[in-house]
């Protein structure tokens, strides 16, 4: 039976936290992490669809790739800009309520696209509604769960939860590409809506906001941690935390590197790889399958990155990740061809291992610099990630319309990654900051 405990004494919690002799018990934190993992997988369907829609929408409605890219850019920007406010709302209303509402908004936005007839409706449904919903399901959600439920293995758990998005891509991309290619883009949009709705019951019934709700200490903690009082003024707190963090140099370096991360992944590869491969006469399903393979190795790379983050300097890890990513992008224009060949497979494996390997060290640096405010600070850093992604999603489409190819976009993104590697190396070591408390 599921139950909530709103007040538990430290002594009672210690007794409940002690496993019975001869009966090792898995800490509840791992079950919460598992539910979070499944939730992010279910929500990952909407992350898989934009790159598959560019050509079908262009053919059905005659909209330019720049117009379609603008809708995707609104989605990506809101995905990031909503994250810090969602993290603050989770402190105010709880993780469970915020995530359940977000999944419902995603389902409504994706479902309504079936009836759209004008470009502004695409921007409203896929850009605004799905962007707001997905922003509340962003990596700040994973960071909040990790910060509340774990004091040990945080890097590993962050890597695992980050990999959930890649796992969802692996599951949904082949299915959605088959639907788009065989039937139409509309069944794919309905599938996204149903996938988001299917996760809501798991969130509502199984997810808990804090270890104290079930009378437990966080995993690895030596002392019971009482559940904090709900923090009023969520929007004000998010802005206050931003104002405080913006006065520090590391924030801008983290935001800058993560903006380049978003530009070179979600904005570039996830949005434009399929149409770019199609320009090279590669079948759409083959290109989508390559993106799914990126998802396979993304899982491996992100979990490994979390393990590395628990053991090595996060700054050096980021520098290595960005440098290698930049080098790989410079070779991509030479690898696109009508068929899949070994050098392209090497690129896919290499890029997959590096895709979101940047997340665990970035979260760790936010935690190191900003302490209890780190989830909200990471939300703002994630906002920069999505702004970078949004710019490249839009400008990549414009570049394709103007130049007739994506070559300049690949080269420019490779140069940006080299700059991000240098920025990561100059982030100073920090001490945990005092949390910001908003006044209602």
């Amino acid at each position: 039976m599921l139950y909530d405990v709103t007040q538990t004494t430290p002594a009672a919690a210690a007794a409940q936290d002690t496993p019975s002799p001869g009966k090792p018990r898995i800490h509840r934190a791992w079950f919460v992490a598992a539910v979070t993992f499944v939730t992010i997988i279910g929500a990952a369907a909407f992350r898989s669809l934009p790159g598959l829609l560019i050509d079908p929408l262009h053919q059905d409605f005659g909209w330019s790739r720049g117009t379609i890219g603008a809708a995707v850019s609104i989605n990506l920007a809101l995905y990031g800009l909503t994250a810090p406010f969602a993290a603050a709302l989770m402190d105010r209303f709880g993780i469970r309520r915020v995530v359940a509402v977000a999944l419902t908004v995603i389902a409504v936005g994706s479902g309504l696209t079936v009836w759209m007839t004008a470009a502004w409706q695409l921007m409203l449904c896929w850009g605004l509604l799905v962007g707001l919903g997905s922003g509340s399901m962003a990596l700040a959600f994973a960071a909040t769960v990790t910060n509340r439920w774990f004091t040990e293995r945080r890097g590993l758990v962050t890597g695992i939860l980050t990999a959930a998005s890649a796992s969802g891509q692996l599951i949904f991309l082949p299915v959605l590409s088959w639907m788009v290619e065989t039937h139409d883009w509309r069944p794919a949009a309905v599938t996204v809506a149903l996938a988001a709705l299917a996760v809501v019951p798991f969130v509502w019934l199984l997810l808990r906001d804090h270890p104290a709700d079930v009378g437990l200490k966080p995993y690895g903690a030596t002392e019971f941690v009482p559940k904090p009082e709900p923090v009023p003024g969520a929007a004000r707190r998010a802005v206050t935390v931003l104002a405080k963090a913006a006065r520090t140099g590391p924030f801008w370096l983290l935001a800058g590197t993560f903006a380049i991360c978003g530009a070179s992944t979600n904005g570039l590869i996830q949005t434009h790889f399929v149409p770019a491969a199609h320009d090279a006469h590669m079948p759409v399903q083959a290109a989508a399958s390559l993106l799914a393979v990126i998802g396979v190795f993304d899982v491996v790379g992100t979990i490994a990155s979390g393990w590395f983050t628990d053991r090595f300097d996060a700054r050096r890890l980021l520098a290595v990740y960005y440098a290698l990513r930049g080098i790989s992008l410079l070779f991509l224009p030479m690898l696109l061809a009508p068929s899949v060949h070994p050098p392209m497979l090497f690129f896919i494996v290499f890029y997959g291992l590096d895709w979101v390997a940047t997340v665990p060290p970035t979260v760790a640096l936010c935690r190191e610099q900003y302490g209890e405010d780190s989830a909200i600070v990471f939300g703002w850093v994630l906002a920069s990630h999505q702004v970078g992604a949004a710019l490249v999603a839009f400008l990549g489409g414009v570049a394709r319309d103007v130049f007739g190819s994506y070559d300049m976009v690949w080269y420019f993104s490779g140069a940006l990654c080299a700059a991000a590697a240098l920025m990561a190396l100059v982030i100073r070591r920090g001490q945990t900051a005092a949390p910001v408390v908003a006044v209602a």
Side-chain angles (χ1 to χ4, degrees):
M1 177 178 180
L2 297 173
Y3 59 96
D4 285 332
V5 177
T6 55
Q7 292 185 350
T8 305
T9 64
Q16 292 182 36
D17 246 359
T18 304
S20 302
K23 292 183 179 180
R25 192 178 71 180
I26 299 175
H27 194 284
R28 178 69 174 267
W30 294 107
F31 291 102
V32 172
V35 173
T36 304
F37 187 89
V38 172
T39 302
I40 296 174
I41 285 179
F46 60 80
R47 309 295 308 149
S48 305
L49 196 55
L52 302 176
L53 291 182
I54 292 178
D55 285 340
L57 292 178
H58 175 69
Q59 293 168 6
D60 275 14
F61 299 103
W63 301 333
S64 71
R65 290 176 176 83
T67 298
I68 300 167
V72 176
S73 70
I74 293 171
N75 176 294
L76 293 173
L78 287 176
Y79 177 87
L81 293 172
T82 305
F85 296 98
L89 285 171
M90 288 176 189
D91 287 340
R92 176 67 179 88
F93 298 105
I95 298 173
R96 189 169 50 168
R97 292 178 181 176
V98 173
V99 172
V101 170
L103 288 167
T104 304
V105 171
I106 290 169
V108 171
S110 182
L112 288 176
T113 59
V114 172
W115 292 283
M116 68 182 178
T117 56
W120 69 265
Q121 295 167 345
L122 174 67
M123 295 182 186
L124 174 65
C125 295
W126 197 262
L128 180 63
L129 292 179
V130 176
L132 288 174
S134 61
S136 301
M137 289 291 303
L139 293 173
F141 168 42
T144 301
V145 170
T146 303
N147 288 348
R148 291 187 182 184
W149 282 88
F150 293 85
T151 58
E152 293 182 357
R153 303 288 189 270
R154 280 177 166 174
L156 177 62
V157 174
T158 301
I160 292 172
L161 295 183
T162 303
S165 181
S167 301
Q169 176 175 291
L170 169 64
I171 293 169
F172 287 108
L173 252 178
V175 175
L176 295 177
S177 65
W178 174 80
M179 286 183 176
V180 171
E181 188 84 354
T182 306
H183 300 286
D184 190 25
W185 61 268
R186 291 175 179 82
V190 172
T191 300
V192 170
L194 294 177
L197 283 177
V199 181
V200 173
F202 290 95
V203 170
W204 193 255
L205 296 175
L206 301 176
L207 194 62
R208 288 294 178 266
D209 295 324
H210 195 277
D213 286 344
V214 288
L216 295 176
K217 296 179 291 187
Y219 177 82
T222 57
E223 297 181 355
F224 180 77
V225 179
K227 183 177 181 179
E229 292 294 325
V231 180
R236 182 182 303 176
R237 183 175 179 227
V239 174
T240 303
V241 169
L242 171 63
K244 182 180 178 181
R247 293 195 292 268
T248 65
F251 172 80
W252 293 106
L253 291 169
L254 288 167
T257 56
F258 224 41
I260 293 171
C261 178
S264 56
T265 53
N266 300 84
L268 183 64
I269 297 295
Q270 190 166 42
T271 303
H272 294 294
F273 178 80
V274 172
H278 191 55
D279 284 347
H281 307 293
M282 182 183 293
V284 171
Q285 280 188 269
S289 297
L290 289 178
L291 274 185
V293 174
I294 284 180
V296 175
F297 289 94
D298 183 11
V299 173
V300 177
T302 308
I303 294 175
S305 179
W307 188 86
F308 290 142
T309 301
D310 286 332
R311 291 161 175 80
F312 301 105
D313 186 347
R315 298 156 191 77
R316 295 183 180 180
L317 289 176
L318 284 179
V320 170
Y321 296 157
Y322 285 121
L324 293 176
R325 182 184 299 177
I327 292 170
S328 67
L329 283 173
L330 296 178
F331 286 95
L332 182 57
M334 296 179 283
L335 302 178
L336 292 169
S339 60
V340 179
H341 47 84
M344 173 58 79
L345 289 176
F346 179 80
F347 169 84
I348 292 297
V349 172
F350 189 87
Y351 209 83
L353 291 171
D354 195 276
W355 182 271
V356 286
T358 55
V359 173
T362 301
V363 171
L365 289 172
C366 286
R367 190 181 301 119
E368 175 187 312
Q369 297 284 342
Y370 305 105
E372 293 184 21
D373 292 327
S374 62
I376 296 176
V377 173
F378 178 69
W380 285 113
V381 171
L382 178 63
S384 71
H385 180 283
Q386 295 308 116
V387 169
L391 285 173
V392 171
F394 171 64
L395 295 176
V398 172
R400 171 61 178 80
D401 289 334
V402 173
F403 299 110
S405 77
Y406 286 100
D407 288 359
M408 292 299 296
V409 184
W410 307 130
Y411 295 138
F412 181 69
S413 297
L416 285 178
C417 289
L422 295 176
M423 292 166 65
L425 288 174
V426 299
I427 298 173
R428 64 173 173 80
R429 292 186 177 276
Q431 296 180 347
T432 299
V436 170
V437 178
V439 178

